[in-house]
Amino acid sequence: MDEEKTIANPVLEVSDLEVVYRTDEETVYAVNGLSLKVNAGETLGLVGETGAGKTTLALSIMKLLPERIGFIENGTIILDGINVTKASPEAMRDLRGEVVSMIFQDPMTSLNPVVTIGEQIAEILELHKTTLSKKEREERVDRMLEMIGISPERKGEYPHQFSGGMKQRIVIAMALACEPLLLLADEPTTALDVTIQAQVLNIMNSLKERFKTATIFITHDLGIVAQTCDKVAVMYSGEIVEYGDLRHIFSKDPFHHPYTVGLFNSIPNIKSDAPRLSPINGMMPDPTIRFKGCRFAERCAHCTERCENEKPPFVDRDGHQVRCFLFAEDGEASSKTEVQAQ
Amino acid sequence: MLKYILKRLLLLIPVIIGISFIIFSIMQLTPGDPAREILGDNAAQEAVDALREEMGLNDPFLVQYGRYMWRAARGNFGTSYQTGQSVMKQILERFPTTIYLAIGATLVAIIIGVPVGLISAVKQYSLMDDVSTIFSMVLTAIPNFWLGLVLMLALSLKLKWFPAYGATSLKHFVLPWITLSCMTLAVLIRMTRSSMLEVIRQDYIRTARAKGAKESRIVFRHALRNALLPVITVIGTQLSVQLGGAIIVETVFSIPGLGTMIISGIKTKDIPVVMGGVMFIALVGGLVNLLVDILYAYIDPRLKSRYVGTKRDRKRLNQAKKEVTGDA
């Protein structure tokens, strides 16, 4: 844990990932050929509406897709040099908690109600830092609790004795106790009210910086993205449609995917006089159907015949990538799914 | 906590009164005459009438009931019409045998039922799961008096492994335990399984997996304790059900417990014996349920903190309050 974390080496490299949920009735294509890179210490915001496959991506990285239903069909996930898709259950257990941690959406249900919070934080150390003595473990738990602003004296208490915000801070402390290389934060503040959100975000940011943990921050709140992320990936219907630095995504220039534009237009603006929000028309396509062309085509104002039949390529401008024909210089522009050469 | 226990004990009083009223009414409504039972079929009608008058059996129903309850409230449960023995003494003599039978059967059910239910949840849809499902369905469908007779026929009369009746040694109890435990066993298998399946799908189990915990650790450390909470409630209610079930099993295996006492009381219209026996079983059942609820509160920290108010807890509570106000 004390070794220098090598900068600029990708902690996580996902390529051509395809994930499906298969039940007796139907097959849901949740993630469709997604590629992604996260460098050490970097925070990537993963935005997109509900059902875009954000959580599925995170669960695939943890290899915690629902048993007998969720399957990784194709592609590779390289986490700290290890191919997760081929890793044995034992190898995965070593990775989870130690190399990659996850924070779930609802702090109310993600802590075990009959185990004290101290024990729950200590458990992750017990599992991975086996060289620590019991005393050292306890000291470490105390330190973590102090960092999240909860008195270490309360470690003998049970989750129900804490408020929602405190619980989420405890979950964060637990996730970061082993100083993992990568943190997957799946909408960690969605279930909290706004005043508590800021507090939880602050604690998460400070701990992240302290431990130099790379983070994938899953959210649909663009405000939070602006506050916390270095890079942003916009996800739509199981694929990334736009990727770039924070400033790229939030820039005013017209080089954006129509879906990203739609997302920004859906944010309430106090300054504008518009009596209503302008949501994106239509709904996300049926995830049980596979598409030939652009998945956003049927909701897109700029849709052409080509969009419906051909998969648009990523157009790269200075590291800012948009997957749309609008910006393709010529029709033949690499329509391969090869992405994000950074 | 003390307040809660007292409240529950007070609530037992109307329950006992209700039960006693129902039993007393049934005893009145069923045919047969206690005086005739005492004197025998050959006694003269005049003698029977005289005895009825003496026993107060000619008084109106409510007067009889009131008189009985008034005595019972002061601890006098009367004497048996048949033997002249004190009912209370008879109950206390026989009760240990019945409770031994019921607790033994419950233990058998727990020792087999909980692990089987657990395995069948953890290995859902496996062969083991199917076998245990079928097993518990069969157990539910078998009436225990029939099972008792079959076991007796096969294991004691044919194979001579166990004695067929009586209650003098541990060996005597094996067949009654098996017979009595069977329904509870089925319930516990199903209950443990479904409760465990529910718990395994909880978010905190996913959290434990995300920490890198082994499957065995997840089951025993994180899931089991949560899954057993509802199972404990069921064990409590089953124990009181078994006190009732013991009546049948005791009769089948001729065990001198409360059950056989009540049955022979019913046959001879021995009202004090039946009333005393049933009320006693009801009381014990109520107490067992209360005990289980207290136990429950100790296992589930969410309930415990609501009822247990020690000095240390109060100190913690105040501290927590301070932190919450600091938090907001």
Side-chain angles (χ1 to χ4, degrees):
Chain A
M1 54 171 188
D2 293 320
E3 80 218 45
E4 215 27 59
K5 274 159 195 166
T6 36
I7 309 294
N9 249 10
V11 171
L12 174 77
E13 204 169 352
V14 178
S15 18
D16 302 323
L17 184 70
E18 281 175 32
V19 182
V20 299
Y21 291 111
R22 208 174 283 132
T23 61
D24 289 343
E25 289 95 42
E26 57 185 13
T27 303
V28 173
Y29 300 94
V31 174
N32 308 297
L34 181 145
S35 299
L36 188 69
K37 238 184 226 175
V38 180
N39 291 327
E42 183 179 271
T43 300
L44 171 77
L46 198 59
V47 292
E49 64 198 280
T50 308
K54 305 180 303 261
T55 303
T56 303
L57 173 64
L59 290 176
S60 310
I61 295 167
M62 298 289 285
K63 219 175 179 182
L64 281 178
L65 288 167
E67 268 176 79
R68 283 185 289 266
I69 299 171
F71 300 95
I72 296 175
E73 287 279 274
N74 214 341
T76 53
I77 299 170
I78 311 285
L79 182 65
D80 192 30
I82 296 166
N83 188 350
V84 169
T85 49
K86 296 209 165 62
S88 67
E90 293 77 31
M92 271 328 289
R93 280 206 294 271
D94 290 340
L95 287 178
R96 286 182 208 133
E98 163 105 71
V99 175
V100 58
S101 265
M102 187 157 174
I103 300 172
F104 297 100
Q105 185 170 348
D106 190 352
M108 297 301 170
T109 56
S110 49
L111 289 168
N112 192 330
V114 300
V115 181
T116 64
I117 58 135
E119 277 176 68
Q120 294 195 54
I121 299 175
E123 185 181 25
I124 195 162
L125 297 167
E126 204 180 312
L127 288 166
H128 298 291
K129 306 286 180 206
T130 41
T131 53
L132 291 181
S133 71
K134 194 166 187 304
K135 196 163 160 262
E136 286 171 309
R137 247 188 351 244
E138 289 305 313
E139 280 167 10
R140 193 101 175 234
V141 171
D142 291 352
R143 224 165 356 128
M144 289 308 292
L145 284 174
E146 267 163 28
M147 280 182 219
I148 57 166
I150 289 173
S151 156
E153 281 169 41
R154 296 191 65 188
K155 68 180 170 186
E157 291 181 23
Y158 293 91
H160 72 276
Q161 290 163 295
F162 295 88
S163 68
M166 287 168 122
K167 274 187 216 170
Q168 194 63 305
R169 271 145 55 189
I170 292 164
V171 172
I172 291 169
M174 206 162 74
L176 294 175
C178 288
E179 303 180 16
L181 292 173
L182 178 67
L183 175 69
L184 305 170
D186 186 4
E187 308 199 20
T189 56
T190 310
L192 304 173
D193 63 71
V194 190
T195 49
I196 307 296
Q197 265 187 23
Q199 184 196 70
V200 167
L201 281 177
N202 285 341
I203 283 185
M204 211 173 101
N205 284 339
S206 71
L207 287 187
K208 230 168 54 191
E209 255 156 54
R210 187 166 183 158
F211 300 141
K212 298 191 178 58
T213 307
T215 306
I216 295 185
F217 200 113
I218 298 174
T219 180
H220 40 238
D221 188 332
L222 288 163
I224 291 177
V225 170
Q227 262 179 56
T228 54
C229 300
D230 309 315
K231 297 267 169 68
V232 184
V234 180
M235 238 181 126
Y236 182 77
S237 188
E239 44 190 46
I240 289 175
V241 292
E242 185 166 344
Y243 173 89
D245 290 347
L246 187 64
R247 66 187 161 85
H248 288 144
I249 305 293
F250 281 81
S251 75
K252 291 243 162 27
D253 87 65
F255 183 59
H256 285 299
H257 193 278
Y259 177 65
T260 313
V261 176
L263 266 188
F264 275 90
N265 285 342
S266 317
I267 303 175
N269 186 351
I270 305 174
K271 286 174 196 149
S272 97
D273 286 334
R276 281 170 183 276
L277 291 175
S278 36
I280 307 169
N281 287 326
M283 299 218 300
M284 211 146 46
D286 184 348
T288 60
I289 301 166
R290 288 194 110 149
F291 276 77
K292 259 196 306 190
C294 174
R295 297 184 73 92
F296 189 61
E298 60 178 32
R299 294 170 80 178
C300 184
H302 311 282
C303 177
T304 62
E305 200 182 316
R306 189 180 175 197
C307 296
E308 278 168 6
N309 297 315
E310 217 179 297
K311 203 144 219 142
F314 268 106
V315 181
D316 191 322
R317 284 188 196 165
D318 195 18
H320 182 194
Q321 301 168 336
V322 175
R323 193 172 207 170
C324 185
F325 284 122
L326 271 182
F327 309 103
E329 275 112 43
D330 67 282
E332 298 307 309
S334 61
S335 89
K336 284 172 276 172
T337 36
E338 212 220 290
V339 219
Q340 279 136 33
Q342 296 181 42
Chain B
M1 193 66 174
L2 199 69
K3 218 169 129 191
Y4 173 74
I5 294 172
L6 274 175
K7 195 176 136 197
R8 286 285 303 265
L9 286 175
L10 284 176
L11 276 174
L12 269 178
I13 296 171
V15 172
I16 300 290
I17 291 175
I19 289 171
S20 69
F21 186 77
I22 292 168
I23 302 297
F24 205 84
S25 315
I26 292 172
M27 291 304 284
Q28 292 288 325
L29 292 171
T30 47
D33 181 353
R36 172 62 75 190
E37 292 287 341
I38 294 170
L39 294 174
D41 289 343
N42 300 326
Q45 188 58 42
E46 293 78 48
V48 173
D49 288 341
L51 189 60
R52 277 187 69 87
E53 192 58 42
E54 192 195 318
M55 288 166 73
L57 292 172
N58 290 331
D59 295 339
F61 166 69
L62 281 178
V63 173
Q64 287 188 48
Y65 175 68
R67 190 163 52 211
Y68 176 82
M69 286 309 281
W70 178 240
R71 283 191 195 140
R74 287 175 302 167
N76 178 5
F77 288 87
T79 52
S80 162
Y81 290 167
Q82 291 291 316
T83 61
Q85 247 191 335
S86 146
V87 171
M88 202 59 205
K89 195 174 158 231
Q90 245 179 313
I91 289 174
L92 292 178
E93 254 172 38
R94 285 163 172 260
F95 179 63
T97 312
T98 301
I99 200 79
Y100 190 55
L101 179 63
I103 288 180
T106 309
L107 283 179
V108 169
I110 294 171
I111 290 166
I112 302 172
V114 171
V116 169
L118 193 70
I119 295 168
S120 90
V122 173
K123 307 251 178 246
Q124 199 190 1
Y125 305 126
S126 68
L127 182 68
M128 174 70 201
D129 186 23
D130 293 339
V131 170
S132 95
T133 304
I134 293 169
F135 180 60
S136 59
M137 273 183 198
V138 170
L139 286 184
T140 320
I142 296 176
N144 53 15
F145 63 88
W146 180 84
L147 181 71
L149 290 173
V150 169
L151 285 175
M152 201 194 279
L153 198 66
L155 300 182
S156 29
L157 298 183
K158 286 262 160 63
L159 295 169
K160 306 216 184 301
W161 287 355
F162 301 103
Y165 56 85
T168 43
S169 73
L170 189 72
K171 234 178 164 186
H172 284 92
F173 277 98
V174 173
L175 295 186
W177 276 341
I178 296 174
T179 311
L180 188 56
S181 68
C182 136
M183 188 68 89
T184 304
L185 177 57
V187 172
L188 283 188
I189 291 176
R190 301 312 291 165
M191 193 66 209
T192 310
R193 180 181 183 271
S194 65
S195 163
M196 190 69 190
L197 281 177
E198 202 188 304
V199 169
I200 297 184
R201 298 203 166 86
Q202 295 295 317
D203 284 355
Y204 55 81
I205 297 299
R206 192 175 55 177
T207 308
R209 288 214 171 91
K211 281 183 185 174
K214 261 192 239 158
E215 226 24 56
S216 59
R217 190 188 174 94
I218 286 167
V219 169
F220 290 108
R221 221 184 120 104
H222 289 278
L224 191 60
R225 209 168 149 198
N226 285 291
L228 282 186
L229 290 173
V231 175
I232 285 167
T233 318
V234 171
I235 291 173
T237 48
Q238 284 296 313
L239 191 61
S240 37
V241 167
Q242 293 204 327
L243 285 172
I247 294 176
I248 294 162
V249 175
E250 279 175 12
T251 309
V252 171
F253 290 97
S254 316
I255 294 170
L258 280 184
T260 37
M261 183 190 90
I262 292 172
I263 294 287
S264 72
I266 291 171
K267 279 185 195 150
T268 56
K269 289 229 79 174
D270 200 338
I271 297 172
V273 166
V274 178
M275 289 290 290
V278 173
M279 277 163 68
F280 191 79
I281 287 183
L283 184 70
V284 171
L287 289 178
V288 165
N289 277 332
L290 175 60
L291 211 68
V292 168
D293 284 350
I294 295 170
L295 185 71
Y296 199 97
Y298 270 91
I299 294 174
D300 190 337
R302 284 162 295 190
L303 284 175
K304 190 180 174 182
S305 62
R306 211 152 68 199
Y307 291 120
V308 182
T310 62
K311 216 176 205 172
R312 200 190 63 210
D313 282 313
R314 271 197 295 275
K315 204 177 122 198
R316 278 219 205 120
L317 192 72
N318 286 332
Q319 195 188 341
K321 270 184 197 152
K322 251 182 259 160
E323 259 178 66
V324 167
T325 41
D327 191 49

